Amino acid sequence: MLPRPDRSGVYVHIPFCAARCDYCDFATWTDRGHLVDAYVDACARDLRQRDLAPVDTVFFGGGTPSLLAASQLTSILDVIPRASDAEVTVECNPDSVDVEKLRAYAAAGVNRLSFGVQSMRPHVLVALGRTHDPDNVARAVDAARAAGIDRYNVDLIYGTPGETVDDWAATLDAALALDPGHVSAYALTVEAGTPLGKAVSAGERAAPDDDDQAEKYELADDCLTATGRPWYEVSNWARPGEECRHNLLYWRGGDYTAVGCAGHGHTAGRRWWNVRTPERYVEAITTGRSAEAGEETLDPRARVAEATMLGLRTAAGIKLPVSGADPLRVDACLADLSAAGLLECGGDRAVLTRRGRLLGNEVATRLMAALDRPTVRAGTR
């Protein structure tokens, strides 16, 4: 499902967490609970000040949006103008939801949930610094169904050191037993400055193994595809019609407004981002100032390159020929990538093969080099 060109989205960043995962480098805090009320009020005020047309998607991310009281989260949602068929997603920790909270979400218009599961193996969760009990995942899904929310995603991470292939297979089996329409699966990455990054740098923990992660990616792809959930983006699989419409806005270069600290927005080629901390965001909004910390406007060549890279991540691939690029250079690059088994070119589309998905950085680097030079025409220098 592609987003309609006349629609846009809103992303709301909720930066609060009960505990910080060892691998996380997002803008989240565990010691800012005293700011929740002021932050919620600031988000609502920020939204009221914008002249938003009804949006097609709303996404509450974080952090842990489900840590908020239902009334706090829905007070933000209530001031967002939405299309009648809008998709409204809330990221949830399985430990912080129950039927009562989810019924309040549903009554306010939430119709999609994304559960941060990561693994269904206790020792892997410990290695990731996660605190939830795997049994709570099933209880959270049951609560969603009881609340009338039948669209939900299960978010997984593979490649944690100490996780065997059998562990990963067990996680996939347990996740599929929940019958989600959508599954996200990401390779564990080590980010500098995180507890995991520091431990790896100090030699106290092993770094993820590329071959191990590749094997687990292929296992996920086989398993999810076989159960009627084909890939539609490199790290996302869904039953037809269950794709995340909000994320498709990102990958298709759509417009979206960012609310909350550290949020990134995009409108007609202008990208902008908000101040990183909740204190600064609250202070900016309550004093009537913009919360934007910076912006950039992409020139036409940069927009073509970005659209190409984002489109390449999806099962729809990229349209050929690539506009604004030297056709000889691009065609030669596409031919080389196809010969290497990284890309399938057919008709007017080019799509990553599974091998290409595993080597996406290499494909991107080679294609970006081909796009880097503009077409040279006769009579110009």
Side-chain angles (χ1 to χ4, degrees), residues 141-154:
V141 168
D142 287 343
R145 290 172 177 154
I149 303 175
D150 57 6
R151 293 191 68 213
Y152 50 91
N153 170 59
V154 172

Side-chain angles (χ1 to χ4, degrees), residues 96-365:
S96 60
V97 295
D98 54 30
V99 175
E100 182 180 2
K101 177 176 285 189
L102 296 184
R103 281 180 176 153
Y105 284 3
V110 174
N111 51 23
R112 186 175 181 275
L113 304 173
S114 184
F115 291 112
V117 174
Q118 319 315 349
S119 176
M120 297 293 276
R121 304 292 283 172
H123 70 280
V124 177
L125 291 171
V126 170
L128 290 170
R130 297 285 294 183
T131 60
H132 72 263
D133 180 340
D135 290 340
N136 281 350
V137 177
R139 286 193 283 270
V141 168
D142 287 343
R145 290 172 177 154
I149 303 175
D150 57 6
R151 293 191 68 213
Y152 50 91
N153 170 59
V154 172
D155 204 343
L156 305 175
I157 288 179
Y158 60 88
T160 303
E163 176 193 64
T164 66
V165 173
D166 286 345
D167 287 330
W168 177 236
T171 285
L172 288 169
D173 288 345
L176 288 173
L178 302 172
D179 197 31
H182 188 292
V183 176
S184 301
Y186 301 98
L188 177 66
T189 56
V190 178
E191 304 291 350
T194 63
L196 177 61
K198 293 175 182 177
V200 170
S201 296
E204 298 168 357
R205 296 183 63 179
D209 180 82
D210 289 344
D211 291 337
D212 173 72
Q213 290 191 331
E215 181 179 1
K216 289 170 180 172
Y217 181 89
E218 291 179 337
L219 179 60
D221 192 42
D222 286 340
C223 183
L224 295 169
T225 301
T227 56
R229 301 167 178 86
W231 79 286
Y232 74 99
E233 192 274 343
V234 168
S235 299
N236 291 272
W237 293 256
R239 293 186 179 120
E242 291 296 316
E243 300 88 352
C244 178
R245 287 160 52 192
H246 185 83
N247 285 341
L248 280 170
L249 275 177
Y250 298 155
W251 300 320
R252 300 293 179 183
D255 289 348
Y256 47 92
T257 297
V259 175
C261 66
H264 284 61
H266 171 255
T267 306
R270 174 181 174 264
R271 298 203 175 281
W272 44 274
W273 49 94
N274 291 337
V275 294
R276 183 172 175 80
T277 66
E279 294 94 335
R280 292 178 63 197
Y281 178 78
V282 169
E283 196 270 337
I285 298 300
T286 56
T287 57
R289 295 184 292 106
S290 170
E292 290 185 22
E295 66 172 342
E296 62 177 348
T297 299
L298 304 181
D299 62 34
R301 286 178 60 195
R303 293 188 72 173
V304 168
E306 181 176 276
T308 301
M309 292 302 98
L310 289 173
L312 197 62
R313 291 186 61 86
T314 70
I318 56 174
K319 184 174 175 57
L320 303 176
V322 179
S323 63
D326 184 331
L328 294 179
R329 285 175 58 84
V330 173
D331 286 350
C333 178
L334 293 175
D336 288 344
L337 292 170
S338 181
L342 302 176
L343 206 60
E344 290 181 350
C345 298
D348 65 345
R349 311 296 299 186
V351 181
L352 289 174
T353 63
R354 184 158 79 174
R355 174 175 162 79
R357 284 181 267 157
L358 290 169
L359 298 173
N361 288 339
E362 178 181 341
V363 175
T365 298

Side-chain angles (χ1 to χ4, degrees), residues 87-99:
E87 173 191 271
V88 181
T89 302
V90 178
E91 289 186 339
C92 300
N93 185 310
D95 286 349
S96 60
V97 295
D98 54 30
V99 175

